[in-house]
Amino acid sequence: MSRGLIHFGLRLLLTVTILLAVCGCWDNKDINHRALPVVMGLDHQNGAYKVYLLIPHTTQRRTDVRIVTKEGSTINQVVDKIAKDLEVDVDLLHLKVLVFHRAVAEAGMKDSISSFMRARDISPKTIVAISDDNLETLFQKLKTSSTSGGMEIYNFFQKHAGWSPNVAQTRVWEIYRSLDSFTRDVAVPLIKAGQTTPIESTGSAVIKNGMMVGRITPDETLLFNSFNGLAAQGKIEVMDRASVMILTENLTHSSSFNDGKPVLNSRLTLKVTILETKGSPTEAMIKQDTESLLTDRFGRMLRKIQSEEADILGLGQLFRTKIPRDRLTSWRTDYYPTMKVNFQVNTIIQNEGLLKMKNK
């Protein structure tokens, strides 16, 4: 074979390769021609959905944000309307936070969450929150207080930024998983526009079968996070006689049945440091106050969620192997409301700081 024929064959192969590469990405849009919303808000009024999008808008001097809203009979229809009227393509795969108005959550989020998972327009890892405020008020607050392209609300839920252990962290896939689960429900963070900050936490919504059926306080959310493996390090507990900061925690369980009723023994071990005291309390007094505070708080929360038949702590997971499979569908109605939980807190004062404490 001649050298010229070989060179011709190589050039032909290179040309075909380039053409295939170009044809494979013919429909790609430059990032400058795409809108990448940071936050989506969903409201439902007068039989129609209203969608809010918080979109970063970069100019030569700064990154600003703008709010785009539309209404329609379905969420996809609204998004299509927004895309039609914008000068750029709307890309929801980079969405960071999905906010439902409380009225929508109380009516049920099942159809919306299922639609997002089915269409795959939104990442399953997108954080979900519920607004106690009117969405217009919330989004205007996010816009006026934005200094980082609307990322403030996303950073609020990030461990490396503004997240604290009394704020729930719930994503789209977790709500979707709970829709068909017999033994696991979820808690979704409740937020509103802040007075001196962009947003404020108002607790967590109790979600059962995709519907908001109740709420728990920020302090009760701390226990929810502990049961779900989100550590409470750094949380400060303020009591009448002292303030302590949680350093580490460890939660263990043992489950059984007694006379046909589920019994759960849970033990929460905390290592704390003392920040300040009022008067002259002993170490034993501070330990007793801490343990009583958390035990009473857990008891109130458990009674509340049991009355709502919503297992946001996932306690049913600890009994799945002890209940016949055909009876799992009755966990929330027949077993969970009558379950007895023996919750114990063991406090270890690891560091007294600069305080001189009495041991007795």
Side-chain angles (χ1 to χ4, degrees):
M1 183 179 294
S2 67
R3 182 175 297 179
L5 187 59
I6 293 175
H7 287 169
F8 174 77
L10 291 174
R11 286 196 299 269
L12 180 62
L13 179 62
L14 180 61
T15 302
V16 171
T17 302
I18 293 173
L19 287 174
L20 288 174
V22 172
C23 293
C25 58
W26 66 270
D27 60 344
N28 279 0
K29 290 184 174 64
D30 186 272
I31 192 169
N32 294 324
H33 298 151
R34 289 188 293 165
L36 306 176
V38 176
V39 188
M40 174 189 280
L42 289 178
D43 201 353
H44 194 267
Q45 299 174 352
N46 302 320
Y49 283 100
K50 187 170 185 179
V51 174
Y52 296 77
L53 293 180
L54 190 71
I55 305 175
H57 179 61
T58 303
T59 62
Q60 291 182 348
R61 295 185 176 180
R62 56 174 295 179
T63 298
D64 203 351
V65 293
R66 58 177 171 174
I67 301 171
V68 180
T69 65
K70 289 287 183 182
E71 296 184 13
S73 57
T74 67
I75 297 172
N76 287 328
Q77 182 189 48
V78 180
V79 174
D80 286 343
K81 285 184 178 181
I82 293 175
K84 177 174 64 69
D85 293 338
L86 279 177
E87 70 281 5
V88 290
D89 185 54
V90 178
D91 186 349
L92 295 178
L93 281 177
H94 296 273
L95 192 72
K96 302 300 183 184
V97 183
L98 176 62
V99 183
F100 289 89
H101 186 258
R102 189 182 69 247
V104 176
E106 290 172 342
M109 302 179 291
K110 183 175 182 178
D111 291 342
S112 301
I113 294 295
S114 298
S115 176
F116 291 140
M117 291 295 292
R118 184 168 52 250
R120 300 183 181 181
D121 292 330
I122 293 177
S123 170
K125 296 181 180 180
T126 301
I127 293 172
V128 181
I130 295 172
S131 176
D132 268 331
D133 261 337
N134 180 287
L135 287 186
E136 184 174 351
T137 301
L138 176 65
F139 272 70
Q140 285 296 334
K141 181 68 175 182
L142 292 175
K143 179 182 178 180
T144 56
S145 60
S146 176
T147 58
S148 57
M151 293 294 288
E152 286 79 7
I153 186 172
Y154 177 64
N155 290 334
F156 181 81
F157 294 106
Q158 294 304 297
K159 285 187 175 182
H160 65 270
W163 180 80
S164 64
N166 52 8
V167 175
Q169 265 189 342
T170 309
R171 303 180 186 274
V172 170
W173 71 265
E174 292 176 291
I175 299 178
Y176 182 75
R177 178 188 62 181
S178 72
L179 296 179
D180 297 315
S181 176
F182 302 136
T183 55
R184 188 197 297 269
D185 296 302
V186 293
V188 174
L190 285 165
I191 59 173
K192 68 176 183 179
Q195 295 294 323
T196 58
T197 57
I199 55 177
E200 293 180 7
S201 170
T202 58
S204 299
V206 177
I207 306 297
K208 173 185 173 184
N209 295 326
M211 184 182 298
M212 180 177 172
V213 296
R215 61 195 299 155
I216 57 177
T217 67
D219 286 336
E220 292 167 343
T221 303
L222 173 73
L223 294 172
F224 164 78
N225 282 333
S226 296
F227 268 78
N228 285 275
L230 292 176
Q233 289 96 329
K235 178 67 174 68
I236 298 174
E237 294 292 351
V238 180
M239 298 163 289
D240 291 337
R241 293 185 283 201
S243 297
V244 300
M245 182 171 66
I246 300 173
L247 301 176
T248 63
E249 61 165 324
N250 182 48
L251 186 63
T252 58
H253 307 285
S254 64
S255 57
S256 61
F257 273 86
N258 185 10
D259 293 332
K261 295 183 178 181
V263 177
L264 180 67
N265 297 307
S266 297
R267 183 179 179 87
L268 177 63
T269 301
L270 299 174
K271 290 184 179 180
V272 304
T273 183
I274 299 173
L275 298 180
E276 61 179 344
T277 60
K278 300 175 183 178
S280 302
T282 64
E283 183 177 304
M285 290 177 181
I286 296 175
K287 288 177 60 176
Q288 181 181 359
D289 287 350
T290 304
E291 292 166 2
S292 297
L293 175 71
L294 294 178
T295 301
D296 292 345
R297 182 184 299 166
F298 176 81
R300 289 193 301 270
M301 179 181 67
L302 182 63
R303 289 190 294 271
K304 186 187 307 181
I305 59 179
Q306 277 184 309
S307 67
E308 294 156 351
E309 296 182 357
D311 190 1
I312 62 173
L313 300 179
L315 303 181
Q317 297 291 107
L318 303 172
F319 292 89
R320 287 185 71 94
T321 59
K322 298 177 174 65
I323 300 175
R325 184 167 180 80
D326 60 346
R327 294 289 298 160
L328 283 177
T329 56
S330 303
W331 164 253
R332 291 188 183 94
T333 56
D334 295 350
Y335 297 100
Y336 181 58
T338 60
M339 177 183 59
K340 181 180 180 181
V341 179
N342 299 312
F343 184 72
Q344 293 183 330
V345 180
N346 179 36
T347 303
I348 301 172
I349 297 179
Q350 183 170 299
N351 188 349
E352 297 173 357
L354 299 177
L355 300 173
K356 294 182 179 180
M357 298 294 303
K358 297 179 181 180
N359 294 325
K360 297 182 181 180

